[in-house]
Amino acid sequence: MDVNAAVAAAAAIAGVLTGVIAMLAFRWSERDLKRPTRTSLHTDPVLPPGVDTVLSVLRSSAVVLDEGDAVVKASSAAYALGLVRGGKLSVEPMLQMARDTRRDGEIRQVELDLPRRGTGRGEALAVSARVAPLGSRLVLLLVEDLTEARRIEAVRRDFVANVSHELKTPVGALSLLSEAVMDASDDPEAVERFAGRMQIEATRLTNLVQELIDLSRVQNDDPLEDAEPVRVDELVAEAMDRCRHAAGTKQITMAAGGTEDLTMWGNRGQLAAALGNLVENAVNYSPARTRVGIAARRITAPGGDLIEIAVTDQGIGISDKDKERIFERFYRVDPARSRATGGTGLGLAIVKHVAASHSGEVTVWSSEGQGSTFTLRLPEAGAARDRAHQHPDLDDEDGQPAPPDSPTSPDSPAYETLSAPEVLP
């Protein structure tokens, strides 16, 4: 009996101990389930309701940080800018702003210049960073890329400065010449000389104002709204007539070929202005008794046939460093000759905008001391209808030089296919 009682008592004690251990284990596991882990702090449910959706539609780069400065949420733009690396905010000034905002709850904003990552260029990335508290534990960082806005502002500022300078020169000259005419009122010969100079400056001022109007028009208007079939031979004839007097004065021979049976689709006035500017530049920057050629042809392209018009001269040529800037407004290859040539520095900028707005391009091949070839490529009439309103980016598309063996090079056989030269008197 005593043995049986002892066994029963031992079994009862073992059962009690097992129950206690099981209860403690259950409570410990329940406590572990309720305890937040490092992983759970960085999952989407931490974000307040609706915040994830809002961040996904923002144009700004968005980063959400927790109390440990770990990234809870980051937009793809934030990764593209290099703001987030390895789950951490990689820009120290922004990280310090986030810590300060978490401490006192104040909204902060600052503009920073960040180095570009992954490029060999030394250009800085201009950004505007704004930090605000998001709930009780999170901080929201919004970063706006201001690089393009700053570039456009710099272009606008330079444009205004250049316009002011260009307008000031002929206006000042007219003022001085008018005073000279008044002082020499009793000298008919001096009056005639000063009046001639006044006429030259007035013409220069008129041309500058007109080209400013033309540039504004091609930038703001859609040329394809008034598009029509335009014969290439008529455009070439009009461009040659425009420069006939200047070419005759310098005894420059102009020749054209390959323009028959070619038609483009676009705004006739803008196309005529663009080609006229190219021919006028070729005449102005060519020495006396040289040749200017205009060649046209149809070329095959993946998106449809193109009409290529090449204007070749035997002028001073363009250096490699100048090729990258010749399509900028008011830029001149030879500023010292600007008064002699009468150029305003806007002609090639107008050509670039006209080509781009017609879904085409303008390129340049040049060799210093040998001459230059500017090539205008535009869709043919039928292909242009299909590509209407597909305009490339104007401020980022610069002309690239054609290779020396290009058909539009002065040394190419294509240059010799021009018709019999038209010798000007």
Side-chain angles (χ1 to χ4, degrees):
M1 291 293 294
D2 293 337
V3 175
N4 293 335
V7 172
I13 294 173
V16 171
L17 291 176
T18 301
V20 171
I21 293 172
M23 183 179 63
L24 291 176
F26 175 75
R27 296 224 177 150
W28 283 338
S29 63
E30 190 178 40
R31 185 186 305 173
D32 287 340
L33 288 174
K34 293 181 179 180
R35 181 184 302 163
T37 62
R38 177 177 295 273
T39 303
S40 66
L41 289 175
H42 305 298
T43 56
D44 290 342
V46 176
L47 293 175
V51 173
D52 195 6
T53 303
V54 173
L55 296 182
S56 65
V57 299
L58 287 177
R59 297 183 61 184
S60 304
S61 302
V63 181
V64 179
L65 304 175
D66 65 8
E67 63 270 23
D69 293 334
V71 175
V72 177
K73 181 73 175 179
S75 64
S76 58
Y79 287 99
L81 289 179
L83 303 179
V84 178
R85 291 181 177 272
K88 293 288 185 180
L89 187 63
S90 61
V91 182
E92 184 61 32
M94 296 181 186
L95 187 59
Q96 186 59 47
M97 287 174 57
R99 292 168 180 169
D100 295 340
T101 296
R102 187 184 301 111
R103 186 181 62 253
D104 55 26
E106 292 186 4
I107 298 176
R108 289 174 168 82
Q109 183 169 354
V110 68
E111 292 188 3
L112 301 171
D113 290 332
L114 307 178
R116 289 184 182 270
R117 300 182 183 274
T119 63
R121 298 178 296 177
E123 302 174 0
L125 188 69
V127 298
S128 174
R130 185 179 180 87
V131 180
L134 184 64
S136 59
R137 296 185 297 111
L138 304 180
V139 174
L140 173 63
L141 170 67
L142 295 177
V143 180
E144 189 76 23
D145 188 355
L146 303 178
T147 308
E148 183 66 14
R150 285 193 179 181
R151 188 190 69 82
I152 293 175
E153 176 62 22
V155 170
R156 185 197 65 80
R157 187 168 54 249
D158 292 343
F159 180 74
V160 172
N162 287 330
V163 167
S164 301
H165 174 74
E166 295 294 334
L167 289 175
K168 182 179 178 181
T169 301
V171 169
L174 287 172
S175 178
L176 292 175
L177 289 169
S178 63
E179 293 179 5
V181 169
M182 293 179 64
D183 294 340
S185 58
D186 55 346
D187 186 352
E189 185 176 340
V191 169
E192 184 178 359
R193 184 172 68 254
F194 291 140
R197 289 289 305 279
M198 290 178 68
Q199 188 174 17
I200 293 174
E201 295 298 335
T203 301
R204 184 183 180 193
L205 180 60
T206 301
N207 292 338
L208 176 58
V209 172
Q210 184 59 50
E211 290 201 341
L212 285 172
I213 295 173
D214 293 341
L215 181 60
S216 176
R217 181 179 295 116
V218 300
Q219 285 180 310
N220 297 327
D221 294 348
D222 184 357
L224 300 183
E225 289 183 357
D226 302 321
E228 59 179 323
V230 181
R231 291 174 56 90
V232 174
D233 55 354
E234 294 178 357
L235 288 180
V236 172
E238 185 175 338
M240 295 175 66
D241 288 340
R242 171 176 167 178
C243 305
R244 190 177 301 277
H245 176 72
T249 302
K250 299 172 67 174
Q251 299 182 13
I252 292 176
T253 300
M254 290 194 297
T259 62
E260 297 79 10
D261 301 325
L262 298 180
T263 305
M264 295 183 296
W265 181 263
N267 184 294
R268 180 183 179 84
Q270 291 191 16
L271 294 175
L275 184 58
N277 286 342
L278 292 180
V279 177
E280 187 175 21
N281 272 3
V283 171
N284 288 339
Y285 285 92
S286 293
R289 292 178 294 278
T290 56
R291 187 185 187 193
V292 171
I294 307 171
R297 63 173 182 170
R298 179 187 294 106
I299 60 176
T300 302
D305 290 348
L306 300 176
I307 301 299
E308 182 180 89
I309 306 176
V311 179
T312 304
D313 63 60
Q314 297 172 315
I316 61 176
I318 306 170
S319 65
D320 290 337
K321 67 179 182 67
D322 288 324
K323 288 177 186 177
E324 300 178 357
R325 301 191 58 190
I326 55 174
F327 294 102
E328 295 179 11
R329 304 178 185 105
F330 295 110
Y331 186 80
R332 298 185 180 89
V333 173
D334 187 1
R337 296 187 57 187
S338 61
R339 182 173 294 274
T341 60
T344 62
L346 291 174
L348 291 180
I350 293 174
V351 175
K352 176 183 175 180
H353 281 279
V354 169
S357 64
H358 285 75
S359 302
E361 65 173 352
V362 58
T363 59
V364 58
W365 174 93
S366 185
S367 178
E368 289 188 88
Q370 297 184 22
S372 305
T373 296
F374 286 86
T375 304
L376 192 62
R377 296 186 183 93
L378 299 170
E380 198 175 15
R385 291 191 185 97
D386 299 333
R387 304 199 308 190
H389 304 293
Q390 297 176 1
H391 300 170
D393 180 46
L394 298 185
D395 286 328
D396 295 337
E397 181 183 31
D398 292 331
Q400 299 297 324
D405 58 349
S406 167
T408 56
S409 168
D411 299 325
S412 169
Y415 184 80
E416 300 300 331
T417 62
L418 301 176
S419 59
E422 175 188 359
V423 181
L424 301 178

